[in-house]
């Protein structure tokens, strides 16, 4: 299945590099490429891409997080992947709260970026490993401060099979389906089926919501 992608980045060189990655990759099409929030807010609803690679800092005016906050409620089917240099906890959680479905760093290798886009399109919520660790640590710290968190997490864990709990823990580390499959010596399709059942049992739609439940938030 071909995945249509829009790019939003105010840095011309980075935007051009991302365009080339998409254009040269099999199974991906470039639906649009925009330099600022104003253009993105106008054009993205017109082209309706599967995925938007969204920078956070778009120069003067509104940020990438502002764009996601405005567009996601109106177009929930469009998936937003933050692609940024920022690793600060505040930026990460602000983006996720705004409706971002994934969060990767600009230093991510092209192959990994494309894998992340496909994983996002297939129902995952990919995050660079550094970002995933920050998210997990934040949940764990909150859990340590709240005794009820442990109880909620235990309840969530009990809903899942041992294998599902194992996969959820690896998802929380930011691992891709391909990496989980290799770690557990199972196929990617088997991983997808387990993830589907995890989401179904926990009544969630993506990785971030599943991690939230897992850590009792």
């Amino acid at each position: 299945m071909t995945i249509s992608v829009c790019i939003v980045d105010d840095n011309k060189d980075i935007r051009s590099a991302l365009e080339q990655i998409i254009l040269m990759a099999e199974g991906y099409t470039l639906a649009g490429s925009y330099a600022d929030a104003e253009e993105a807010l106008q054009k993205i609803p017109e082209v309706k891409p599967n995925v938007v690679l969204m920078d956070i800092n778009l120069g003067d005016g509104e940020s990438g997080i502002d764009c996601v906050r405005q567009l996601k409620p109106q177009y929930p089917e469009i998936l937003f992947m933050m692609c940024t240099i920022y690793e600060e906890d505040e930026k990460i959680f602000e983006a996720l709260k705004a409706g971002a479905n994934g969060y990767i760093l600009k230093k991510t290798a092209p192959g990994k970026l494309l894998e992340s886009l496909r994983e996002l399109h297939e129902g995952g919520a990919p995050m660079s490993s550094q970002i995933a660790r920050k998210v997990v640590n934040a949940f764990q710290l909150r859990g340590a401060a709240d005794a009820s968190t442990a109880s909620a997490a235990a309840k969530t864990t009990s809903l899942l099979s041992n294998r599902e709990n194992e996969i959820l823990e690896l998802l929380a580390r930011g691992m891709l389906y391909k990496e989980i499959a290799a770690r557990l010596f199972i196929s990617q399709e088997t991983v997808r089926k387990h993830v589907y059942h995890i989401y179904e049992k926990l009544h969630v739609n993506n990785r971030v919501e599943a991690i939230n439940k897992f850590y009792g938030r």
Side-chain angles (χ1 to χ4, degrees), residues 26-197:
E26 185 177 349
Y28 300 83
T29 59
L30 183 63
S33 184
Y34 315 117
D36 56 55
E38 184 179 0
E39 188 178 19
L41 288 169
Q42 178 185 346
K43 297 292 184 61
I44 288 174
E46 295 176 4
V47 299
K48 290 186 172 62
N50 299 127
V51 180
V52 177
L53 266 175
M54 179 72 75
D55 187 19
I56 287 183
N57 185 4
L58 299 176
D60 297 332
E62 294 182 290
S63 70
I65 294 175
D66 293 326
C67 287
V68 175
R69 190 178 288 114
Q70 292 181 55
L71 292 172
K72 189 64 178 178
Q74 300 178 60
Y75 307 95
E77 71 281 4
I78 298 178
L79 303 171
F80 291 89
M81 173 85 82
M82 308 312 291
C83 182
T84 178
I85 60 172
Y86 294 106
E87 298 183 48
E88 293 94 335
D89 292 7
E90 181 183 351
K91 294 289 186 184
I92 297 167
F93 288 105
E94 187 181 356
L96 295 175
K97 285 169 65 177
N101 305 94
Y103 196 116
I104 62 173
L105 300 176
K106 286 185 177 179
K107 60 187 177 183
T108 301
K112 190 84 167 179
L113 184 146
L114 292 170
E115 283 184 11
S116 297
L117 289 176
R118 186 158 293 279
E119 183 187 357
L120 184 65
H121 189 248
E122 292 175 351
M127 289 180 276
S128 295
S129 58
Q130 302 97 314
I131 301 303
R133 280 195 294 271
K134 286 177 178 289
V135 172
V136 171
N137 288 340
F139 290 148
Q140 289 175 331
L141 287 172
R142 292 184 185 188
D146 185 354
S148 65
T149 298
S151 175
K155 184 177 180 181
T156 295
T157 302
S158 69
L159 294 173
L160 307 178
S161 68
N162 290 337
R163 176 63 92 186
E164 288 166 351
N165 274 307
E166 192 173 18
I167 289 175
L168 181 54
E169 184 177 347
L170 296 177
L171 285 173
R173 296 181 190 175
M175 295 179 67
L176 299 173
Y177 291 177
K178 178 181 178 181
E179 295 168 330
I180 294 173
R183 171 73 68 88
L184 301 180
F185 302 103
I186 57 179
S187 70
Q188 289 188 60
E189 184 58 34
T190 299
V191 173
R192 288 192 190 93
K193 288 180 180 177
H194 280 305
V195 171
Y196 173 80
H197 290 137

